[in-house]
Amino acid sequence: MQINKKYLLFFLLIFFVEILIALFVRDQFIRPFIGDVLVTVLLFAFCRIFYKGNALKLAFGVLIFSFTIEFLQYLKLIEILGLQNNKIAVTVLGATFDWLDLLAYLLGVLISYFIDKKLITPKN
């Protein structure tokens, strides 16, 4: 298995930005919306480190995964599992459903696909 070094660096960059947002941003737009856009970009980039296949299929898979997590928030899975006081579980799974998150995930996947096709793996 080969590692895509471009995507590894891209993943690390986005991960660093996400950490900065989590630690230092306390607003109503960047942290909740841009953070969710970037988390789908982060997931796409992580998968692309190892997966060389169809970028559109990967983008769709990341979108379905993201929507599933959001739907589980709607169902209050974190509370059903009794993990509402577990910071790691709340951070990973989230605790609050928001329709705008679905838009953020869609935007993140579109950005990821565009970056993949135009910037990181363009066809010559």
Side-chain angles (χ1 to χ4, degrees):
M1 172 188 330
Q2 276 190 319
I3 291 177
N4 185 320
K5 291 180 180 118
K6 288 181 184 179
Y7 266 106
L8 177 59
L9 291 173
F10 184 60
F11 168 81
L12 292 171
L13 173 68
I14 299 298
F15 186 68
F16 180 71
V17 170
E18 284 281 57
I19 289 171
L20 291 176
I21 289 171
L23 292 175
F24 301 112
V25 179
R26 303 277 184 256
D27 71 342
Q28 299 300 314
F29 180 72
I30 293 175
R31 185 177 177 123
F33 189 77
I34 301 301
D36 283 346
V37 169
L38 289 177
V39 81
T40 54
V41 175
L42 183 75
L43 286 171
F44 183 92
F46 179 77
C47 293
R48 211 61 167 143
I49 293 170
F50 309 101
Y51 176 71
K52 293 182 183 181
N54 187 296
L56 187 58
K57 288 181 182 178
L58 177 59
F60 186 70
V62 169
L63 184 63
I64 295 299
F65 177 80
S66 300
F67 278 17
T68 300
I69 296 296
E70 195 67 24
F71 180 68
L72 293 173
Q73 291 174 8
Y74 177 78
L75 297 176
K76 306 222 181 279
L77 178 67
I78 204 89
E79 292 173 20
I80 292 169
L81 297 174
L83 297 173
Q84 62 271 20
N85 296 322
N86 183 315
K87 282 189 160 197
I88 294 173
V90 171
T91 300
V92 172
L93 294 176
T96 307
F97 174 82
D98 187 346
W99 288 104
L100 281 177
D101 289 352
L102 300 176
L103 178 62
Y105 302 148
L106 177 60
L107 186 58
V109 164
L110 292 173
I111 290 168
S112 298
Y113 185 74
F114 174 81
I115 288 170
D116 185 83
K117 289 298 171 192
K118 300 294 182 187
L119 301 175
I120 295 184
T121 57
K123 302 285 184 208
N124 291 330

